[in-house]
Amino acid sequence: MSAPIDLIATFIPNDGELHRVKLALEIAIDEVVKEPGCIQYELTEATEEKLVLTEQWASEEDLDRHSKGIAVQDLNESLSALLAEPVKVERA
């Protein structure tokens, strides 16, 4: 079996949009934690300048399914006008 996949996603809100970005993430988190293969999906840092989401997936297949899922699509749509720059996703 392969090792879990760890990701760090960083969100940079536009000025004054921290609350709305955080709310959109909290809604997504409630859905994503129910997805198959989701080990961790939580907001681990929140400041006026950035929000950091820590993710862990059981497999590449689970991560791929998540990436194409409705929760991510809805989150991206919700955040489209709220972020100062594109979401930065890195493997940890």
Side-chain angles (χ1 to χ4, degrees):
M1 187 190 294
S2 63
I5 295 100
D6 296 308
L7 301 173
I8 303 289
T10 304
F11 302 81
I12 309 296
N14 287 326
D15 289 341
E17 297 292 6
L18 173 68
H19 179 72
R20 291 176 64 194
V21 172
K22 190 173 179 183
L23 180 61
L25 286 169
E26 289 169 351
I27 291 167
I29 289 166
D30 286 345
E31 294 302 313
V32 172
V33 296
K34 301 172 193 169
E35 292 179 8
C38 180
I39 298 168
Q40 179 185 20
Y41 199 82
E42 69 178 291
L43 199 55
T44 54
E45 181 182 346
T47 68
E48 290 293 326
E49 294 80 34
K50 72 177 179 179
L51 294 105
V52 177
L53 187 73
T54 302
E55 303 180 39
Q56 188 175 62
W57 295 92
S59 69
E60 288 288 342
E61 293 79 19
D62 293 323
L63 174 58
D64 188 50
R65 184 174 33 252
H66 160 71
S67 298
K68 295 174 182 170
I70 190 74
V72 169
Q73 291 174 17
D74 288 349
L75 179 61
N76 288 338
E77 187 175 313
S78 297
L79 295 177
S80 64
L82 303 178
L83 297 178
E85 58 187 65
V87 177
K88 180 179 176 186
V89 180
E90 301 173 284
R91 292 206 178 219

